[in-house]
Amino acid sequence: MKPRRSNLSVPGHVAKMHAKAAESAADVVMLDLEDSVPLEAKESARQQVIDSLLHLDWSKKTVTVRINALDTPFAYRDLIEVVEQAGPVLDAIVLPKVNHEGDIHFADRLLTGIALAKGGPDQIGLEASIETAVGLLHASAIVNASPRVKTLVFGIADYSASIGARLVSISGHGEKEEELYPGHRWHFAISKMVMNAKAAGKLAIDAPYGNFKDEEGLRRSAVMACALGCDGKWAIHPGQIAAINEVFTPSKEDIELAAKVIQANEEAKNAGRGAVAVEGRMVDQATVRLATQLWEQARHLGLV
Ligand code: COA
Ligand code: MG
């Protein structure tokens, strides 16, 4: 699976940003038809996204399109027109505000129908955005609703609105949290989403950080998401990509430690033992699983 460390969101109606995104270092580029596009530009954004999908080079990227929410007049056309016209280029459709498994079934069957009608490949996945109380409640049913679901993503601002949480910063995307709550305000929501994604063998992606000029805050937010088991984080500005990629890339020290743990485990197995000591710390089979995961990640990224 291609890495999904940084996921750059790009407004669908702003063509010059599409070219910039295609050349960026983001692992995933998401062309957005939802909340970054004003109402009067919904139709033109759809056409612009199709043009960009067809005319820019996405071969080194995972490229996705976020359609409008299914309770709007735009969503069904977004999906049908984008996929009919540019489907073979697309890796996934991002569904905002997914509330029930039925939302996934709807998109899944439309995608199947379009693939049958076109006779082309049927490769398009789904990313389900968990950004309502109902969506989080049903996260397990949502992630298991179709093999097309590859990732769950946390939508921090809409989730805050959905539960009536206090708006802390102007963007509502993760700033000054520690001033309001002594701990990680989104620990439960992110952990629940991560647990449901991982139980289904899928990836979990954190929400974007809204203050794109605050690199330290972005880093802190990314480090916490990584610690909670997220595989990547959304970005809203190209200036956020490098820090996110770095945080979600295993460090040289981590890789060396993982190699030591794996090696020690081999030696322990040969000696008929389950737990051994590495650098003064206990290493058992759980530690070996963690180390093996990190090694696999590093291998995907071409680091080992
Ligand atoms: N994707 C691609 N390029 C982007 C970009 C993005 N998300 N955000 C900014 N850029 C480009 C700008 O076009 C500009 O390019 P230029 O130097 O060639 O003119 C450059 O990066 C610097 O942009 P900057 O002036 O710092 O930002 P801005 O004030 O123009 O825009 C935002 C700030 C937040 C409005 C803009 O980053 C944005 O629209 N982000 C995406 C929002 C979004 O998708 N929201 C929905 C998901 S939560
Ligand atoms: Mg949202």
Side-chain angles (χ1 to χ4, degrees):
M1 193 184 288
K2 288 197 236 168
R4 285 182 181 246
R5 298 165 302 176
S6 49
N7 299 241
L8 180 64
S9 172
V10 193
H13 59 307
V14 190
K16 77 165 190 162
M17 289 193 187
H18 299 186
K20 207 169 174 103
E23 284 163 15
S24 74
D27 290 335
V28 184
V29 171
M30 182 190 84
L31 302 172
D32 184 30
L33 297 175
E34 201 215 11
D35 281 352
S36 68
V37 177
L39 270 185
E40 64 276 11
K42 291 292 186 192
E43 309 279 335
S44 60
R46 194 188 286 146
Q47 200 47 55
Q48 181 56 58
V49 162
I50 292 167
D51 285 354
S52 296
L53 284 170
L54 295 176
H55 297 117
L56 294 170
D57 178 11
W58 301 104
S59 58
K60 293 190 192 69
K61 295 262 171 276
T62 293
V63 63
T64 68
V65 170
R66 179 166 72 170
I67 64 170
N68 284 284
L70 297 184
D71 61 357
T72 68
F74 310 110
Y76 76 101
R77 273 195 197 282
D78 289 343
L79 193 141
I80 292 172
E81 288 185 20
V82 169
V83 175
E84 276 194 346
Q85 293 179 51
V89 185
L90 260 186
D91 290 290
I93 290 285
V94 180
L95 295 176
K97 302 178 181 70
V98 177
N99 286 326
H100 305 102
E101 60 197 290
D103 296 345
I104 302 295
H105 294 155
F106 172 80
D108 179 42
R109 292 187 186 135
L110 271 181
L111 288 171
T112 303
I114 297 167
L116 287 171
K118 289 273 164 189
D122 188 9
Q123 87 293 357
I124 299 176
L126 291 169
E127 175 164 309
S129 192
I130 302 296
E131 48 185 338
T132 61
V134 184
L136 188 62
L137 184 68
H138 297 146
S140 174
I142 289 167
V143 74
N144 286 295
S146 160
R148 285 194 203 272
V149 181
K150 306 289 186 239
T151 45
L152 295 183
V153 59
F154 182 50
I156 188 171
D158 276 304
Y159 185 74
S160 303
S162 150
I163 61 167
R166 176 85 60 87
L167 180 69
V168 188
S169 68
I170 193 164
S171 78
H173 287 77
E175 227 183 312
K176 293 191 194 147
E177 300 287 12
E178 52 293 337
E179 287 172 24
L180 200 76
Y181 183 83
H184 191 296
R185 197 153 69 112
W186 306 112
H187 176 269
F188 170 74
I190 295 177
S191 287
K192 182 170 193 284
M193 181 191 77
V194 168
M195 177 192 73
N196 284 302
K198 300 304 168 89
K202 310 296 172 80
L203 301 183
I205 310 293
D206 189 27
Y209 186 77
N211 183 352
F212 56 90
K213 299 211 164 114
D214 171 17
E215 190 183 318
E216 203 192 310
L218 168 70
R219 245 173 219 281
R220 202 168 42 238
S221 164
V223 165
M224 282 199 267
C226 191
L228 290 176
C230 288
D231 301 282
K233 184 169 177 67
W234 272 14
I236 48 145
H237 191 280
Q240 296 183 313
I241 296 168
I244 295 177
N245 280 351
E246 194 191 313
V247 170
F248 286 95
T249 301
S251 70
K252 196 163 156 278
E253 294 75 39
D254 291 346
I255 296 170
E256 280 167 12
L257 191 59
K260 269 189 203 160
V261 169
I262 293 165
Q263 169 76 23
N265 181 53
E266 286 306 313
E267 288 166 15
K269 260 198 311 205
N270 293 338
R273 295 169 59 185
V276 285
V278 175
E279 295 187 352
R281 288 175 179 84
M282 187 269 292
V283 165
D284 64 2
Q285 291 313 300
T287 329
V288 174
R289 277 190 285 277
L290 274 171
T292 308
Q293 269 179 8
L294 190 125
W295 186 264
E296 283 303 309
Q297 263 184 330
R299 210 168 50 78
H300 276 303
L301 293 167
L303 302 172
V304 293

